[in-house]
Amino acid sequence: MPIRQLSETMINQIAAGEVIERPASVVKELVENALDAGASRVEIVTSGGGLNLIRVTDDGSGIPERELALAIARHCTSKLTEDINDIRSLGFRGEALPSIGSVSRLSIRSRTAASDSAAEIGIEGGRVLPVRPAAANRGTTVEVRDLFFATPARLKFMKGERAESSATSDVVKRIAIAFPAVRFTLAGSDRSTLELPAADDSAEGSLRRVAQVMGADFPDNSIALDAMRDGVHLTGHVSIPSFTRANALQQYAYVNGRPVRDKLIAGAIRGAYADVLPRDRHAVTVLFLTLDPAIVDVNVHPAKADVRFRDPGLVRGLIVGAIRQALADAGVRAATTGAAGMMAAFRPGAASYGHGGPANGHRSYDAAYRASGPSGFDAARSPQRPLDMGFEGSGFEHRGLRENDQAAFDAGPLARADARAGQDEATETLLGAVLGAARAQVHENYIVAQTRDSLIIVDQHAAHERLVYEALKNALHSRPVPSQMLLLPEIIDLPEEDAERLALHSETLARFGLGIERFGPGAVAVRETPSMLGEANVQQLVRDLADEIADNDTVDTLKERLDKIAATMACHGSVRSGRLLKAEEMNALLRQMEATPGSGTCNHGRPTYIELKLADIERLFGRR
């Protein structure tokens, strides 16, 4: 077949295969165009998941009538200068509108501030319609109908209406976080209306927009970031370790205001939370990276969701270091969702944390009362026996505390403890601490502590496990890890580039007890291994390290293996459940938790304590 020039329509349809994957891709491109035009209000309307209709209206600068034909031509843009390394807008390739028009029925109606009227142009499956006058306010309205009608094969790969609508919502939310001063509205017959009112560009305004998108509980369970390294500025918010999600969909990252899904940033987030999250749980993050456009390449893929950094190690190190430092500076904090779950567990009929209740076969107080009949409450028939409040057996009449009971209550241990607490200055000081003063030990595993405005319940085993683990980690990383000499060196054949990378990191590996050296052009010799690993699979370990260095330029694989061993040692060396603790021991544990970063979760990511505010307790008893 002879070589021939493809038609303009065919070229645009090929480009649409990369740029326009689904309706959400169309919304992304059109909203980015609106923001580049300086819009302060963006309204999106969809129908049929976006396959039937997508309409994006903005109040931006608009497109002059004489430029409408250029706007739908391939590789025509107003956003790019002659310097491809100085990209400061969201769009720059000049492919979106012609690509959309080649696979749908597209119309663009626009008016500038200097014009007395608007103009409109249309495209149907790549066929350009003439420009005609129209009526419109200042700004631009882009309407896309019958998406992929010109390429029906693509329709077979679309998901259901609900899935496509959800993907569009996610795109709008992701963009909206980076532009808090812009009002976004997403509506249509296929969805409930989403309204994101405009805030301002301050830190408070940005956090309000984040709360609008990610939920009102995120700000209360997050830590602010603000770090700078070698011209790269990192800001944003990250969740505390006890506030997690089942997937990584709520991890948002932005590079110079551009929403990205970058594996380097995702890997850095995982590395920062490596030993503080439960397995298969993910942190909630909003990260903004600001840097010179010349040191980041956003022209990697037509969808512009991927970026490449000139110094990926710098960016990864900044993210990991900033998050870990923020978690350490934040001290011990419990997620507010723990208190909410605790409140729900206390309510009658609510599902509890695995304890007996109506949901799992045990009867509630009301059920036991109904079963006992008019003769009164049969305490023997209820697994949850209430305090004896002086009920008479025949008439079930409450007469209050008997005289002897009242005297015993007034002189009982609770009253004496309360009196001592008011007199003991040391206890008063402890009440002002983050985790307060220990009051009791329940079921030989849970420490009940009191602060001035809350009740704290601590899992003693989980808490001490974290303390021991952190001490072991500090010991491991503050000095070289002890190593064991191999009787015969292990020779490992590797590609030349992998052997070279390992040799460059040999000094760092030696600090972790792994002694390697070059052994010819395509091999390394391992002479020492960390003694903590015992009889390890040295071949697999070295190959894993080579792969990680190639991907991330780090040797975290070896560090993670050592940390895992330290975690196992901490689990077996910590205070066990069932051990009775003295008041001094309980208070000492609380003070160590307050001084240890990351002590809000154990090594496995489970919370070590739950805090219930006094106001919540009062609500449980109807005092508020």
Side-chain angles (χ1 to χ4, degrees), residues 438-486:
R439 291 302 196 189
Q441 185 184 27
V442 181
H443 292 296
E444 292 78 43
N445 186 55
Y446 300 101
I447 299 171
V448 179
Q450 173 190 346
T451 69
R452 290 196 174 96
D453 63 349
S454 63
L455 173 73
I456 307 286
I457 301 178
V458 179
D459 183 333
Q460 69 184 35
H461 172 68
H464 195 244
E465 184 179 1
R466 166 59 72 177
L467 300 179
V468 175
Y469 176 50
E470 292 297 329
L472 286 172
K473 277 204 310 180
N474 290 336
L476 277 174
H477 304 313
S478 62
R479 58 180 181 272
V481 175
S483 61
Q484 58 184 3
M485 182 76 69
L486 298 181

Side-chain angles (χ1 to χ4, degrees), residues 88-100:
R88 300 180 183 273
S89 58
L90 297 176
F92 59 90
R93 297 174 64 96
E95 289 184 316
L97 291 177
S99 296
I100 296 170

